[in-house]
């Protein structure tokens, strides 16, 4: 049981590291390839957390577990949404910049 709680803690820590990374980047200056890779890894935490939580639920039932689930879900959704917004904004900006450069070559 202690092992399951420890594993769950490691999964939560991985999500926290992703959030810390998200807080450290700026929309205008970041490596989109790195963010894509980190986002994919962060998305894995959801199924990993659910798998471990299901095993814990089989062995014990606690109100704290519901709170853990809700807290993790909210943090997860916020982090994923934030990353996807940044990537979407960056993609739109890159497309816009490419169009402007193309027009400058044609008209310039």
């Amino acid at each position: 049981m202690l092992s399951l709680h420890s594993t769950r803690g490691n999964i939560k820590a991985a999500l926290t590291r992703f959030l810390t990374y998200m807080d450290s980047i700026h929309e205008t200056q970041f490596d989109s390839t790195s963010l894509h890779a980190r986002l994919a890894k962060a998305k894995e935490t959801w199924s990993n957390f659910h798998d471990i939580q299901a095993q814990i639920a089989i062995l014990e039932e606690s109100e704290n577990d519901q709170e853990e689930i809700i807290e993790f879900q909210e943090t997860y959704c916020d982090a994923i949404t934030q990353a996807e917004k940044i990537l979407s904004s960056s993609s739109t900006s890159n497309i816009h910049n490419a169009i402007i450069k193309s027009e400058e070559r044609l008209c310039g």
Side-chain angles (χ1 to χ4, degrees), residues 20-106:
T20 301
Y21 171 76
M22 292 299 302
D23 289 342
S24 74
I25 66 172
H26 304 285
E27 288 186 34
T28 56
Q29 298 175 345
F30 71 96
D31 180 1
S32 65
T33 303
S34 177
L35 181 52
H36 274 290
R38 290 171 186 257
L39 177 59
K41 192 72 173 161
K43 286 182 176 182
E44 292 175 11
T45 63
W46 181 254
S47 62
N48 293 341
F49 180 84
H50 251 303
D51 292 346
I52 294 299
Q53 191 58 46
Q55 292 176 44
I56 291 171
I58 290 170
L59 299 173
E60 68 179 40
E61 189 172 319
S62 167
E63 266 187 44
N64 290 342
D65 286 340
Q66 275 306 107
E67 292 171 15
E68 291 268 351
I69 294 167
I70 291 167
E71 179 185 331
F72 186 85
Q73 182 177 359
E74 289 176 3
T75 303
Y76 173 86
C77 290
D78 289 346
I80 299 303
T81 299
Q82 181 182 357
E84 288 180 345
K85 281 182 180 178
I86 290 172
L87 287 170
S88 176
S89 173
S90 171
S91 178
T92 301
S93 177
N94 289 341
I95 291 169
H96 184 266
N97 289 339
I99 291 170
I100 289 173
K101 286 180 183 179
S102 177
E103 288 174 350
E104 287 173 352
R105 281 192 296 249
L106 291 173

Side-chain angles (χ1 to χ4, degrees), residues 7-25:
T7 301
R8 181 176 67 186
N10 290 337
I11 293 167
K12 290 171 65 178
L15 184 59
T16 299
R17 286 189 300 275
F18 180 67
L19 280 170
T20 301
Y21 171 76
M22 292 299 302
D23 289 342
S24 74
I25 66 172

